[in-house]
């Protein structure tokens, strides 16, 4: 997907499709719309004269050009101009791409003139993100397109602006990098468990590193054992696939400057282990590596953007399957941090592999550490599909993540991590149990993780309700969303600035 930013007059710019926002309160053809009216044989004013286009977000009408400028004009209802925010721009750009897609067009031009209530760089970034995310599609396992298959993907988007073109262009370049990272995460998420194994994620991380200049280190099972990462090894024991721990490093800051550490759960298939999950919907557990995919995607974007900070991405990766060699309920394991864990339910495996990864991250003495994981079904009950839960040891960090979430459109909302919850993790035989019972499942899971971060400012994002789904937003599709790649990149960039 190619994004170009042009300082071109929309009425004379040749394009198969020009998408133009129509804001609420637009009664007739004024300004740009009136100039477009002249090149659409009054199509614009005739459309605006009906109640078909009234600035409502669901409004969409195509009118046809009459001259050498746009062949078609898509009038897209865009709500109130004063209410237009980054997320509104993302969705608008995505709807432009979808309109082109439905018409079987390979390219579309989006007119951003008049949408300049937002700063140009912000506008360019959001528009490029929305367009690139919308154009992405997972096709690598399908045969050649057949009659009746969805039309060719949109391969080019033009953003037409009138002012601050350079800032618009810089923003669009950043947006492309962020979306490329998120689309990489979506591709990794989409791959089924038989392809996207721990060693596959590791080789993808190696490829990303050689493409972008990141450093990469892969821990195989021998190295995991040598280091004492027995929690990861214990989860992986029931599987034929070997576990891995992936470490990606971006050195954009001063030598010796404490890094920001990103950790993502890379559980490539979660059957539950001996505490087997029910069969219904189990295929979705290929998405249990979504946190790891987002960390790899974010590291890709951070390297592409050349963020001036040191950033380390860590992805513990394994499968969780039942077998004669699998971890059993009641087993006690020794973690890298030295704490012992009584495993009362093998389906609470994410916190086990994260325990070792977080302990490794803490050894790097980071300025801050953030993990993301499809950790609990409870978070889906608590927050549904519109926000991840954020919990941690540092209020300032939690607030930074909440703000980065709102700017990026990948929102998170706090839950408390009071010490009272720690009681639910007490064990008779070990230092703690891995499951704290039904009440506050998301909180006790985070509470478990907090045992492995030492004194590092740390926060955890539970993304079980937001990492994948039906694809309700214009820039999403059914399947993996890449969430929280955008949030992580936004947070890292805001800290680096
Ligand atoms: N990967 C699951 C969490 C999950 C649930 C992700 C639904 C996406 C959708 C995790 O490993 C898990 O099984 N958690 C258990 C923990 C329980 C045994 C304490 C859960 O939430 O049921
Ligand atoms: Mn599980
Ligand atoms: Zn899991």
């Amino acid at each position: 997907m190619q994004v170009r930013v042009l300082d071109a007059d929309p009425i004379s710019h040749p394009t198969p499709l020009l998408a133009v926002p129509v804001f609420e309160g637009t009664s007739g053809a004024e300004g740009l719309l009136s100039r477009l009216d002249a090149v659409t044989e009054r199509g614009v004013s005739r459309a605006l004269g009906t109640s078909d286009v009234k600035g409502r977000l669901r409004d969409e009408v195509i009118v046809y050009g009459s001259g050498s400028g746009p062949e078609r004009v898509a009038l897209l209802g865009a709500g109130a101009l004063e209410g237009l925010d980054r997320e509104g721009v993302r969705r608008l750009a995505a709807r432009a791409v979808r309109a082109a897609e439905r018409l079987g067009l390979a390219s579309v031009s989006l007119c951003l003139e008049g949408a300049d209530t937002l700063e140009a760089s912000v506008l360019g970034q959001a528009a490029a993100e929305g367009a690139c995310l919308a154009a992405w599609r997972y096709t690598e396992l399908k045969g050649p397109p057949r009659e009746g298959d969805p039309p060719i993907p949109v391969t080019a988007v033009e953003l037409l602006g009138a002012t601050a073109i350079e800032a618009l262009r810089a923003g669009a370049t950043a947006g492309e990098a962020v979306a490329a990272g998120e689309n990489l995460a979506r591709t990794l998420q989409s791959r089924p468990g038989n392809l996207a194994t721990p060693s596959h994620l590791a080789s993808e991380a190696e490829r990303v590193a050689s493409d972008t200049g990141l450093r990469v280190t892969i821990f195989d099972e021998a190295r995991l054992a040598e280091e004492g990462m027995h929690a990861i090894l214990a989860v992986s024991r029931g599987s034929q696939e070997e576990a891995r721990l992936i470490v990606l490093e971006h050195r954009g800051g001063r030598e010796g400057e404490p890094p920001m550490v990103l950790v993502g759960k890379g559980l490539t298939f979660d059957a539950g282990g001996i505490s087997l999950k029910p069969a219904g919907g189990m295929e979705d557990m290929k998405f249990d590596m979504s946190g790891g995919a987002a960390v790899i995607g974010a590291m890709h974007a951070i390297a592409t953007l050349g963020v001036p900070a040191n950033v380390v991405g860590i992805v513990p990766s394994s499968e969780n399957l039942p077998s004669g060699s699998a971890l059993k309920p009641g087993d006690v394991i020794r973690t890298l941090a030295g704490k012992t864990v009584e495993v009362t339910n093998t389906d609470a495996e994410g916190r086990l592999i994260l325990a070792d990864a977080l302990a490794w991250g803490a050894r790097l003495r980071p300025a801050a550490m953030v993990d993301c994981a499809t950790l609990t079904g409870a978070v889906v009950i608590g927050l549904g599909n519109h926000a991840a839960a954020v919990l941690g040891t540092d209020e300032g960090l939690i607030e930074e993540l909440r703000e980065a979430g709102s700017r990026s459109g990948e929102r998170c909302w706090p839950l408390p991590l009071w010490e009272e919850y720690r009681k639910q993790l007490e064990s008779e035989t070990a230092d703690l149990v891995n499951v704290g019972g039904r009440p506050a499942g998301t909180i006790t899971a985070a509470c478990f993780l907090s045992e492995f971060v030492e004194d590092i400012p740390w926060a955890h994002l539970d993304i079980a309700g937001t990492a994948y789904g039906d694809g309700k937003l214009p820039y999403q599709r059914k399947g993996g969303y890449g969430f929280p790649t955008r949030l992580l990149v936004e947070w890292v960039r805001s800290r680096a600035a």
Side-chain angles (χ1 to χ4, degrees):
M1 171 68 171
Q2 197 202 359
V3 179
R4 293 203 305 150
V5 175
L6 298 176
D7 176 11
D9 188 350
I11 72 159
S12 56
H13 182 63
T15 173
L17 179 65
L18 176 71
V20 182
V22 175
F23 294 102
E24 246 165 42
T26 310
S27 48
E30 315 146 12
L32 171 68
L33 290 171
S34 102
R35 298 206 300 130
L36 283 168
D37 202 34
V39 297
T40 55
E41 286 176 350
R42 299 201 53 253
V44 168
S45 58
R46 281 180 291 137
L48 294 173
T50 68
S51 57
D52 301 0
V53 219
K54 288 223 156 299
R56 294 161 302 204
L57 290 171
R58 63 185 150 85
D59 294 347
E60 182 179 323
V61 163
I62 308 281
V63 298
Y64 289 85
S66 52
S68 53
E71 285 170 46
R72 304 167 187 79
V73 176
L75 301 171
L76 304 179
L81 177 59
E82 313 80 62
L84 186 70
D85 58 5
R86 295 165 206 242
E87 183 60 10
V89 174
R90 264 178 223 110
R91 293 181 191 184
L92 186 68
R95 285 164 65 207
V97 167
R98 291 278 189 260
E101 201 172 270
R102 275 195 298 275
L103 293 163
L105 305 170
S107 71
V108 58
S109 310
L110 173 64
C111 182
L112 294 175
E113 215 179 297
D116 41 19
T117 48
L118 286 163
E119 208 182 302
S121 66
V122 166
L123 183 62
Q125 183 182 336
E129 284 177 2
C132 295
L133 291 171
W136 175 90
R137 188 187 282 177
Y138 182 71
T139 55
E140 64 187 8
L141 299 179
K142 283 193 180 285
R146 290 180 309 175
E147 193 72 19
D149 276 358
I152 48 160
V154 176
T155 53
V157 169
E158 292 175 336
L159 304 178
L160 308 187
T163 51
I165 288 296
E166 278 319 310
L168 196 60
R169 191 167 285 139
T173 303
E176 277 185 277
V178 173
E182 184 142 285
N183 285 340
L184 166 62
R186 292 164 91 186
T187 296
L188 296 176
Q189 282 181 291
S190 304
R191 288 185 182 150
N194 60 324
L195 298 183
T197 58
S199 48
H200 174 81
L201 283 193
S203 69
E204 286 293 276
E206 284 174 325
R207 188 182 54 78
V208 165
S210 80
D211 288 354
T212 60
L214 292 166
R215 289 193 186 195
V216 62
T217 313
I218 307 296
F219 294 25
D220 61 9
E221 291 199 343
R223 175 84 190 271
L224 292 171
E226 209 174 289
E227 299 290 350
M229 299 196 188
H230 301 295
I232 298 177
L233 290 168
V235 170
S236 187
R237 259 179 40 199
S239 163
Q240 298 285 334
E241 292 291 335
E242 281 199 17
R244 294 286 184 268
L245 181 100
I246 300 162
V247 181
L248 286 166
E249 287 172 75
H250 169 72
R251 301 181 162 239
R254 276 184 296 102
E255 178 86 37
E257 186 178 281
M260 292 175 246
V261 169
L262 308 175
V263 179
K265 173 179 175 183
L267 211 291
T268 59
F269 188 76
D270 182 12
I274 296 295
S275 312
L276 190 63
K277 287 182 182 297
M282 204 203 271
E283 66 277 9
D284 277 355
M285 284 301 123
K286 73 170 185 176
F287 292 121
D288 212 19
M289 37 60 78
S290 296
V295 166
I296 294 172
M299 292 304 294
H300 187 285
I302 287 162
T304 308
L305 291 163
V307 175
N310 297 330
V311 188
V312 181
I314 303 177
V315 179
S317 184
S318 82
E319 292 189 324
N320 186 26
L321 298 179
S323 83
S325 59
L327 180 68
K328 303 175 297 298
D331 286 359
V332 174
I333 58 182
R334 185 174 295 279
T335 62
L336 175 65
K339 294 187 183 179
T340 55
V341 178
E342 179 191 0
V343 179
T344 54
N345 187 323
T346 65
D347 199 10
E349 83 300 335
R351 61 197 76 183
L352 297 176
I353 68 171
L354 286 167
D356 282 347
L358 289 169
W360 186 263
R363 287 189 185 178
L364 307 176
R365 305 305 303 162
M369 178 156 66
V370 175
D371 79 74
C372 55
T374 47
L375 206 61
T376 66
V379 79
V380 193
I381 306 301
L383 292 169
N385 309 113
H386 303 293
V390 58
L391 309 93
T393 55
D394 188 290
E395 290 306 319
L397 175 58
I398 289 169
E399 192 52 32
E400 286 172 29
L401 290 167
R402 214 149 70 88
E403 283 165 6
S406 130
R407 288 194 299 274
S408 66
E410 292 184 327
R411 289 181 292 183
C412 57
W413 199 258
L415 288 178
L417 199 54
W418 297 318
E419 64 176 48
E420 283 83 347
Y421 293 104
R422 174 64 175 79
K423 268 210 158 33
Q424 291 174 239
L425 297 177
E426 278 173 8
S427 164
E428 288 296 324
T429 49
D431 294 327
L432 61 167
V433 295
N434 74 328
V435 166
R438 293 253 305 160
T442 302
I443 296 174
T444 55
C447 189
F448 182 92
L449 299 180
S450 74
E451 293 282 321
F452 300 91
V453 301
E454 294 177 27
D455 56 347
I456 305 298
W458 157 83
H460 156 69
L461 297 163
D462 194 330
I463 59 169
T466 47
Y468 61 93
D470 296 337
K472 293 257 161 48
L473 299 178
Y475 55 76
Q476 294 173 334
R477 289 189 202 274
K478 181 170 161 42
Y481 297 160
F483 189 111
T485 305
R486 299 198 315 262
L487 188 168
L488 294 175
V489 177
E490 180 65 28
W491 173 68
V492 163
R493 289 181 86 199
S494 72
R495 272 231 168 184

